Amino acid sequence: MRVGEHIGLSHRGRRRRHNEDAYVVQPPLFAVADGMGGAKAGEVASALAADAVQESGNDGESGEARVAALIEEANRRVFRRASEDREASGMGTTMTVALVEAGEVAIGHVGDSRAYLIRDGRLEQLTDDHSLVAELVRSGKLTPEEAETHPQRSVITRALGTEADVDVDTFYRAINKVRASL
């Protein structure tokens, strides 16, 4: 499948002094990583994760298995660096990877970097955030409106680099004649 429009763009946001985002735009492979802003070396973690995705060749896997393997490799690299480098101890990053092939997109996801589907002028969030407030909303303990201003809305519950192994959410989605956005 030919991937039409694509672009890579990032902004540091309103609260950070520097940008901790890294991304990959290598059709049919796309990824975004966002370093954990409250931890040390978030920009290092996101760069390591993005590099792992860019450098990992296609080992014969495709679809969900491939995006999971890419994220797991990224986790190994970030965790190793955090374990070996005192200045990077505790660093981590979120990551979402999309692999577009044969009219479908395989998505792998850890953290709160989101994948969206844009169709007919509507935006649909495809991934579920791995965050404290998202879990509270899903369990019915917070409303979506309360979550928007909750003091712990930036606390993530799953990230790359914080543990030796990471649980990756994966799924396939048909995208014929659809634009997807990370």
Side-chain angles (χ1 to χ4, degrees):
M1 170 181 204
R2 182 180 166 274
V3 176
E5 300 174 49
H6 57 274
I7 188 168
L9 182 65
S10 178
H11 188 277
R12 68 178 170 83
R14 294 179 285 206
R15 293 199 172 114
R16 304 285 179 221
R17 288 184 220 179
H18 59 281
N19 195 336
E20 295 189 353
D21 300 342
Y23 55 87
V24 176
V25 179
Q26 292 180 332
L29 187 63
F30 302 87
V32 62
D34 181 7
M36 296 182 343
K40 290 182 186 178
E43 71 283 357
V44 174
S46 63
L48 284 168
D51 289 347
V53 169
Q54 285 179 314
E55 294 167 6
S56 295
N58 187 352
D59 58 4
E61 293 181 326
S62 64
E64 291 178 78
R66 183 168 178 208
V67 295
L70 290 168
I71 293 173
E72 289 163 355
E73 175 59 23
N75 182 67
R76 279 189 288 279
R77 292 185 190 192
V78 176
F79 182 77
R80 183 180 324 120
R81 175 75 177 270
S83 300
E84 295 171 352
D85 182 351
R86 179 183 219 143
E87 295 298 314
S89 178
M91 73 176 176
T93 186
T94 65
M95 178 164 255
T96 300
V97 175
L99 176 62
V100 180
E101 50 187 12
E104 296 183 321
V105 62
I107 295 177
H109 169 70
V110 175
D112 64 354
S113 293
R114 298 173 177 168
Y116 291 92
L117 177 68
I118 302 170
R119 178 181 284 172
D120 299 326
R122 291 194 340 249
L123 187 67
E124 176 188 353
Q125 183 177 331
L126 298 177
T127 53
D128 292 325
D129 288 357
H130 301 132
S131 69
L132 176 62
V133 295
E135 290 177 13
L136 292 172
V137 169
R138 285 191 290 272
S139 70
K141 295 179 182 172
L142 277 182
T143 66
E145 295 76 26
E146 292 169 326
E148 288 178 18
T149 58
H150 194 280
Q152 293 179 312
R153 67 186 172 275
S154 62
V155 174
I156 58 175
T157 56
R158 201 182 311 174
L160 273 65
T162 58
E163 296 181 27
D165 294 310
V166 67
D167 184 21
V168 180
D169 289 354
T170 62
F171 62 93
Y172 255 127
R173 179 77 182 248
I175 59 164
N176 290 330
K177 298 183 182 177
V178 174
R179 294 185 331 193
S181 176
L182 290 178

